[in-house]
Amino acid sequence: MKKLLSYLSLALLASSCFKLDSPPDFPITSEGYRPIYANADEIDKVVITTPQPLKSPGKIYIKDQFLFVNELGKGVHIFDNKDPKSPKKIAFLQIPSNVDIAIRGDILYADNLKDLISINISKPSEAKLVHRLKDVFESQDYPPVTNVRFECVDSNKGVVIGWEKVLNVDYTLKCYR
């Protein structure tokens, strides 16, 4: 009888290890990401503007006496670096959703959401778009990080140009990556 109770206890204990519970509810407050939308016309606008403050710098390129500093998601800062101890802000090249840049000769190459654009920088303060290759890159239908919750993309709101970290208090962050 003791053996039977031992086997029965062992069987019950083992079966409890395989019990499948439903996943827990979303916590009331959890971090996640929400897409930042823009319409297609806004994305294609590549313009030179007044200098902007550095907030999230990326790659830095040196060409002649100039520095080109990528501002992640926004564009490119242009500095006169004639005096390396005191670089002077010249302009900001606004490129929506820009993440990466490269320079060869007088051409700056940059991503502009899904497009690859070429910009003539022979006169950096007068930089001009010279060519656009459409749909070279994949769209940003999910945040740039993994193991996170995020608000599912709604194409009716426009195209995703970036992601912002948010606190999920209203259960809108239903997608997961």
Side-chain angles (χ1 to χ4, degrees):
M1 185 69 163
K2 278 187 175 180
K3 256 187 174 180
L4 181 60
L5 284 174
S6 296
Y7 287 126
L8 189 56
S9 297
L10 188 59
L12 286 172
L13 184 62
S15 69
S16 68
C17 293
F18 298 103
K19 185 178 177 191
L20 295 175
D21 292 328
S22 60
D25 290 334
F26 284 101
I28 292 175
T29 56
S30 67
E31 288 185 350
Y33 288 84
R34 179 169 290 141
I36 300 168
Y37 294 99
N39 68 43
D41 295 337
E42 291 173 354
I43 292 166
D44 287 347
K45 288 183 184 175
V46 176
V47 295
I48 202 97
T49 65
T50 58
Q52 304 292 312
L54 281 166
K55 292 182 183 173
S56 185
K59 286 186 177 178
I60 299 172
Y61 276 85
I62 298 173
K63 166 127 175 53
D64 303 326
Q65 70 184 45
F66 299 99
L67 289 176
F68 297 86
V69 181
N70 178 233
E71 179 74 34
L72 297 174
K74 306 288 183 191
V76 180
H77 300 275
I78 304 172
F79 294 87
D80 184 336
N81 197 38
K82 197 180 293 183
D83 178 7
K85 292 180 182 176
S86 182
K88 294 180 181 148
K89 294 179 180 180
I90 295 177
F92 182 71
L93 184 55
Q94 186 176 352
I95 307 170
S97 196
N98 173 244
V99 178
D100 203 0
I101 60 172
I103 295 175
R104 184 167 185 186
D106 285 339
I107 303 295
L108 180 140
Y109 299 93
D111 60 318
N112 178 216
L113 195 60
K114 295 189 328 179
D115 300 346
L116 175 64
I117 59 174
S118 306
I119 300 167
N120 186 324
I121 55 169
S122 57
K123 295 179 184 176
S125 61
E126 300 172 13
K128 291 196 187 327
L129 178 69
V130 291
H131 191 68
R132 175 182 298 273
L133 285 174
K134 294 290 233 178
D135 300 321
V136 173
F137 304 105
E138 292 182 27
S139 61
Q140 300 178 359
D141 290 339
Y142 45 83
V145 293
T146 56
N147 299 321
V148 295
R149 288 190 174 99
F150 61 97
E151 183 179 303
C152 304
V153 173
D154 180 356
S155 58
N156 293 325
K157 293 181 178 180
V159 292
V160 177
I161 61 167
W163 293 86
E164 63 181 338
K165 192 178 246 187
V166 295
L167 199 58
N168 179 27
V169 292
D170 58 359
Y171 300 99
T172 58
L173 307 178
K174 295 182 180 171
C175 288
Y176 183 82
R177 173 178 188 237

